[in-house]
């Protein structure tokens, strides 16, 4: 009888150990499978992000670049998100190089964390400049180029158009600074023929008026910075 009980107890212990072993094995297999899924997910996610390489833009290659870029990037609406509100812009297809330039710079974040650095009462708000060294470094990697004026499309400087200023460098042909733009707060027809109009405000003129009303220093730079947080391409 004692011998029978001894063998029964051994059998029970053996079954328990076998179940524990199977449970541990199953747990380890499940954990290994889960780790594999996590690893694969991270790899797929990482590999799915493909950064497109663009050339360093110069006056020699910029027009050819935007000639091709504008064919593949047909968006013509953007939203300028400022620290005082949003301004929606319709970009004109007629000024294709300036539209393409603005879309390109918006997509690669070249306007992010810049400012409306020149505000002239009852005239314009001018944006795209900054004293942030990080933005300057980013733009240095994009290129050093100018765009020719494109002023014979029938557009005039009515209130609410977006136009491109001349570059700060000596510039007898009024080649446009690609990173800067201004929005007219009032009609400014005396600018016609000298600056390229490439779009108009379709929503947010109240924000333009609000920015135009801020106090500025002697150089027309607002005492309290008005930031361009980002420029979003809408479609």
């Amino acid at each position: 009888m004692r011998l029978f009980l001894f063998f029964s107890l051994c059998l029970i212990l053996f079954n328990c150990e076998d179940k524990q072993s199977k449970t541990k094995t199953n747990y380890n297999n499940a954990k290994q499978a889960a780790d594999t899924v996590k690893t694969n997910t991270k790899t797929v996610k990482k590999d799915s992000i493909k950064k497109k390489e663009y050339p360093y833009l110069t006056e020699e290659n910029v027009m050819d670049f935007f000639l091709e870029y504008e064919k593949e990037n047909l968006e013509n609406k953007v939203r300028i998100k400022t620290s005082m509100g949003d301004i929606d812009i319709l970009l004109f297809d007629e000024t294709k190089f300036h539209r393409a330039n603005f879309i390109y710079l918006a997509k690669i974040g070249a306007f992010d964390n810049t400012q409306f650095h020149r505000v002239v009462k009852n005239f314009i708000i001018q944006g795209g400049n900054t004293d942030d060294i990080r933005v300057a470094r980013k733009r240095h990697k994009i290129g050093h180029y100018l765009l020719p004026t494109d002023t014979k499309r029938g557009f005039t400087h009515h209130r609410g158009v977006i136009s491109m200023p001349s570059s700060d460098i000596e510039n007898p042909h009024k080649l446009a600074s690609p990173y800067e733009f201004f929005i007219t707060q009032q009609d400014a027809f005396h600018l016609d023929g000298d600056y390229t109009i490439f779009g108009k405000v379709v929503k947010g003129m109240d924000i333009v008026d609000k920015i135009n009303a801020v106090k500025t220093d002697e150089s027309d730079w607002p005492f309290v910075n008005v930031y361009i947080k980002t420029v979003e391409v809408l479609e």
Side-chain angles (χ1 to χ4, degrees):
M1 184 67 179
R2 288 180 180 178
L3 185 63
F4 175 75
L5 291 175
F6 174 75
F7 281 115
S8 297
L9 181 60
C10 289
L11 183 62
I12 292 171
L13 291 174
F14 177 78
N15 287 337
C16 288
E17 289 177 356
D18 185 54
K19 287 181 180 179
Q20 288 177 351
S21 177
K22 288 181 179 179
T23 300
K24 187 174 182 180
T25 300
N26 290 338
Y27 171 78
N28 289 334
N29 289 339
K31 186 176 184 301
Q32 185 177 4
D35 289 342
T36 302
V37 171
K38 288 180 181 179
T39 302
N40 290 340
T41 300
K42 288 180 180 179
T43 302
V44 170
K45 184 176 181 180
K46 189 174 182 179
D47 290 343
S48 65
I49 300 174
K50 296 181 180 180
K51 183 179 179 181
K52 189 170 183 178
E53 294 295 331
Y54 292 111
Y56 181 84
L57 296 180
T58 67
E59 292 184 28
E60 285 71 34
N61 67 4
V62 65
M63 299 308 288
D64 288 336
F65 172 76
F66 282 128
L67 183 63
E68 294 302 316
Y69 186 86
E70 67 93 16
K71 295 176 182 177
E72 300 175 0
N73 298 266
L74 302 177
E75 302 93 344
N76 65 352
K77 296 184 181 68
V78 297
R79 175 166 295 151
I80 303 173
K81 299 181 74 67
T82 83
S83 55
M84 299 182 73
D86 297 349
I87 304 170
D88 289 359
I89 303 286
L90 171 68
L91 302 176
F92 298 146
D93 293 329
E94 290 86 343
T95 48
K96 61 182 181 180
F97 290 110
H98 292 74
R99 180 193 65 80
N101 174 74
F102 203 82
I103 292 294
Y104 173 66
L105 294 179
K107 284 185 175 182
I108 62 177
F111 294 119
D112 296 359
N113 302 314
T114 59
Q115 300 160 22
F116 279 100
H117 59 279
R118 182 169 177 251
V119 173
V120 183
K121 294 288 190 295
N122 301 315
F123 183 36
I124 65 166
I125 60 172
Q126 185 168 327
N129 203 345
T130 181
D131 50 9
D132 189 334
I133 190 65
R134 293 170 298 179
V135 177
R137 287 172 181 166
K138 179 189 292 186
R139 291 178 173 182
H140 181 72
K141 294 179 181 179
I142 295 170
H144 181 69
Y145 66 98
L146 297 170
L147 295 177
T149 53
D150 189 358
T151 59
K152 298 180 180 179
R153 303 292 178 177
F155 304 123
T156 57
H157 283 84
H158 286 285
R159 166 177 160 84
V161 300
I162 183 171
S163 188
M164 189 166 280
S166 297
S167 172
D168 289 334
I169 66 174
E170 184 178 354
N171 192 2
H173 301 294
K174 295 187 182 295
L175 294 175
S177 173
Y179 299 109
E180 295 186 26
F181 60 91
F182 65 85
I183 299 173
T184 51
Q185 197 265 342
Q186 297 292 342
D187 293 344
F189 302 132
H190 63 284
L191 300 179
D192 294 349
D194 289 333
Y195 305 96
T196 301
I197 300 166
F198 61 99
K200 65 179 181 180
V201 176
V202 293
K203 184 179 179 182
M205 271 307 295
D206 58 324
I207 304 301
V208 174
D209 292 336
K210 189 177 179 181
I211 295 172
N212 189 255
V214 302
K215 294 182 178 180
T216 63
D217 61 19
E218 293 179 355
S219 64
D220 299 322
W221 195 299
F223 282 118
V224 177
N225 287 331
V226 180
Y227 287 99
I228 297 173
K229 299 177 180 178
T230 188
V231 177
E232 297 177 342
V233 178
L234 299 182
E235 58 181 61

